[in-house]
Amino acid sequence: MAAIKELEKDFKTLIENERLDHAYALYGPHLPSQFELTKSLANFLEKGKWASPEGILLDAKFIDGTTQNLGVDVAREFSEFLYRQPVASPRRTLVINSAAEFTTQAQNAILKIVEEPPSHGLIILTVRDINSL
């Protein structure tokens, strides 16, 4: 859990200094903590509060690879979501929990988005093992 607190501090510093990059991969054995961190980050960007969101976030989309099929069609939806202009946040945030569950085709589609992201897009992937992507 100490690592999660450090990541929270690091992300806040990046946001304050306007140095947040367009994509991040969080990896480690505890996916639920990573997923909670990403939800809090998206909430912070949109509502200025570091906490799990209450209600719907307009500029964030959360996908859980453990419960949703992550095929190429879903990956194309990611692109459509990210390229729309944000409404309440400086970023459109896409979070994919258990990203290793992607099909190879979907991984290739996400790679293309990560290589050519919109300026206002933020993609965060969580995985247990970084080599699984």
Side-chain angles (χ1 to χ4, degrees), residues 16-87:
E16 287 171 12
N17 295 321
E18 297 181 7
R19 296 190 49 105
L20 196 62
D21 212 338
H22 70 281
Y24 294 91
L26 304 179
Y27 60 95
H30 204 258
L31 286 176
S33 294
Q34 295 171 15
F35 199 35
E36 276 305 309
L37 173 85
T38 62
K39 289 178 187 178
S40 295
L41 171 62
N43 194 59
F44 186 76
L45 287 170
E46 190 163 319
K47 298 182 178 178
K49 182 178 178 186
W50 195 277
S52 195
E54 296 175 10
I56 296 172
L57 296 177
L58 298 173
D59 293 321
K61 185 174 191 94
F62 302 97
I63 307 296
D64 190 347
T66 61
T67 60
Q68 292 175 268
N69 181 14
L70 296 178
V72 72
D73 293 335
V74 174
R76 287 188 184 117
E77 290 176 26
F78 300 162
S79 180
E80 292 173 15
F81 169 79
L82 284 171
Y83 277 90
R84 283 188 239 136
Q85 290 295 320
V87 176

Side-chain angles (χ1 to χ4, degrees), residues 24-28 31 34-35 63-71 78 95-108 110 123-133:
Y24 294 91
L26 304 179
Y27 60 95
L31 286 176
Q34 295 171 15
F35 199 35
I63 307 296
D64 190 347
T66 61
T67 60
Q68 292 175 268
N69 181 14
L70 296 178
F78 300 162
V95 176
I96 303 164
N97 189 43
S98 296
E101 302 299 321
F102 278 136
T103 64
T104 301
Q105 293 171 323
Q107 286 186 17
N108 289 334
I110 288 297
I123 303 167
I124 304 173
L125 308 175
T126 68
V127 292
R128 289 189 196 284
D129 179 10
I130 195 69
N131 295 317
S132 64
L133 290 177

